[in-house]
Amino acid sequence: MEDKSERSDRHPQAHVDIYEKQPVPFGLVRFGVAPDHPEVKNVINTFTQTAHSGRCAFWGNVEVGRDVTVPELREAYHAVVLSYGAEDHRALEIPGEELPGVCSARAFVGWYNGLPENQELKPDLSCDTAVILGQGNVALDVARILLTPPEHLEKTDITKAALGVLRQSQVKTVWLVGRRGPLQVAFTIKELREMIQLPGTRPILDPVDFLGLQDRLKGTAWRQSTMLTEVPRPRKRLMELLLRTAMEKPGREEAAHWASASRAWGLRFFRSPQQVLPSPDGRGAAGVRLAVTRLEGVGEATRAVPTGVMEDLPCGLVLSSIGYKSRPIDPSVPFDSKLGVIPNVEGRVTDVPGLYCSGWVKRGPTGVIATTMTDSFLTGQTLLQDLKAGLLPSGPRPGSAAIQALLSSRGVQPVSFSDWEKLDAEEVARGQSTGKPREKLVDPQEMLCLLGH
């Protein structure tokens, strides 16, 4: 989300203008959160209240760095905040990555969530087995969407096109592959529990991967291996659930559920991808060559090193979910391409007074919506401190009037929040006929036509 503004919740005169690349608001809440997690999207209500304030304006369909530059924004406002997130994925950088049948989890999520740039994806789900490289929440989201019976997704805001493809899917098994072990998984307990309870599916966990983990959870070995005096409670609960699922005999109800399951998902630990293997005709993926790894080091420094043993995991679809990265937005804004962030101190962009950043572009692509909100509040406080200290320009600034004139001269037609509310009503109306909360509009041209632009 591109949020360029003089932001404040504690300044009675502050006026905030939000500039957004997409014609619609809400960024990752709309395009990142899984369709079967509607409760996570409730934050939209708070965002909407803010947008209705007389001192806040939303301008969608404006790409900063293309339609308007950061120096032009800095000229028009007392302060500018960059919070455009991490819209790129980290590449695998292995042979075969460019084959048909290989794509990023980020693009797959954008496809089923209606992100315009990913609507051409058309994933081929005619294979029996899919491999997801990565073991974070995004990887579990993708596995869950691939394995959820389509009728359970019918009443969500998943796109019509994606639902149609998932109905025809032949995928029966999904493997989630990680370089390190169970102690290092990046997903959280809520997402794991959903996978374990997923209708019509059963988990495949190799008890060998969990040997010795029980002792670690109870005793000193855990403390030495993580360099913590005490196991953080959420991590301990996650490990206990993994252990129970892998080692213990399921209860009668669970056993019956798993026995009748026609689909399965599994975690493969201590495996590092070396190559995507091509199908005989070279027109797709036939599997992934994995290096077997072992762990070296302790605590946060634990890393996976290859043992020299290789194995091939057959599949017809490969989704990489090994992280996101930000892109530079404008030549005038410093950017650390190694870390993929804008260099900053507490949200103040290095060497550019009056320019700030927040969220993933400030501290890297980690954390959930709540983490990012907290981070944004901190940047807001930093900006207010600078205002108080007289570090921001003091005279009047034209704000959106100057930017609207520039955009108009360039043939750019911004979408206002009241415009969005018309699109919102259209989506809700289209969804009603099929019992969905909405049928998302996925074509920016159609959106602009509906608004008479």
Side-chain angles (χ1 to χ4, degrees), residues 23-276:
V24 295
F26 312 133
L28 269 185
V29 181
R30 179 177 168 101
F31 298 121
V33 175
D36 57 349
H37 284 174
E39 71 291 348
V40 181
K41 302 186 191 203
N42 289 340
V43 70
I44 282 177
N45 302 331
T46 314
F47 290 167
T48 299
Q49 277 176 342
T50 307
H52 282 154
S53 156
R55 293 190 289 118
C56 180
F58 169 83
W59 302 109
N61 195 40
V62 177
E63 187 171 346
V64 174
R66 185 193 68 184
D67 301 331
V68 63
T69 67
V70 172
E72 285 166 343
L73 289 171
R74 290 182 62 219
E75 196 77 9
Y77 294 89
H78 293 97
V80 173
V81 183
L82 300 171
S83 58
Y84 60 88
E87 57 178 332
D88 223 339
H89 68 279
R90 278 179 54 205
L92 293 167
E93 295 177 347
I94 59 173
E97 186 175 12
E98 70 301 324
L99 285 167
V102 183
C103 78
S104 70
R106 185 201 171 285
F108 190 80
V109 169
W111 167 72
Y112 65 64
N113 271 335
L115 184 61
E117 69 196 56
N118 296 131
Q119 292 316 292
E120 297 305 307
L121 191 67
K122 315 257 186 304
D124 181 357
L125 306 184
S126 62
C127 59
D128 179 76
T129 303
V131 167
I132 301 171
L133 302 168
Q135 295 182 331
N137 279 344
V138 174
L140 281 195
D141 274 349
V142 168
R144 196 179 65 253
I145 295 295
L146 279 171
L147 294 173
T148 296
E151 60 273 18
H152 289 243
L153 295 171
E154 280 170 355
K155 304 299 180 203
T156 73
D157 67 1
I158 193 167
T159 67
K160 193 174 173 181
L163 189 59
V165 172
L166 288 164
R167 280 192 210 283
Q168 303 298 314
S169 171
Q170 301 298 307
V171 175
K172 298 283 183 285
T173 307
V174 176
W175 290 106
L176 297 105
V177 177
R179 288 173 303 131
R180 299 190 292 172
L183 286 180
Q184 288 81 28
V185 294
F187 51 72
T188 47
I189 194 163
K190 175 181 176 282
E191 278 68 22
L192 175 63
R193 197 178 282 121
E194 281 181 309
M195 285 302 291
I196 292 168
Q197 295 168 353
L198 196 62
T201 69
R202 63 187 173 86
I204 310 169
L205 299 175
D206 186 347
V208 172
D209 290 333
F210 296 86
L211 294 174
L213 198 59
Q214 259 155 331
D215 307 333
R216 282 195 177 191
L217 272 182
K218 290 177 192 140
T220 53
W222 167 279
R223 291 203 276 276
Q224 287 162 2
S225 73
T226 58
M227 294 177 81
L228 290 168
T229 50
E230 205 180 309
V231 182
R233 193 157 168 268
R235 171 65 41 175
K236 191 174 180 186
R237 282 172 52 230
L238 176 65
M239 288 305 114
E240 285 168 349
L241 179 57
L242 270 173
L243 262 173
R244 268 202 314 277
T245 310
M247 309 293 269
E248 291 177 15
K249 205 176 167 194
R252 186 181 300 174
E253 207 175 304
E254 211 163 49
H257 168 149
W258 292 350
S260 65
S262 60
R263 294 180 300 280
W265 63 274
L267 296 169
R268 297 291 284 266
F269 297 108
F270 310 110
R271 302 287 185 274
S272 175
Q274 303 301 299
Q275 182 188 352
V276 178

Side-chain angles (χ1 to χ4, degrees), residues 316-366:
L317 178 66
V318 180
L319 295 150
S320 68
S321 185
I322 57 167
Y324 294 77
K325 64 178 185 182
S326 298
R327 297 174 183 162
I329 193 169
D330 188 291
S332 72
V333 180
F335 190 77
D336 182 332
S337 47
K338 195 164 184 243
L339 296 175
V341 295
I342 294 172
N344 71 90
V345 179
E346 294 178 346
R348 294 178 184 92
V349 175
T350 312
D351 299 330
V352 192
L355 188 61
Y356 301 83
C357 57
S358 77
W360 283 9
V361 79
K362 168 183 169 184
R363 60 187 166 79
T366 56

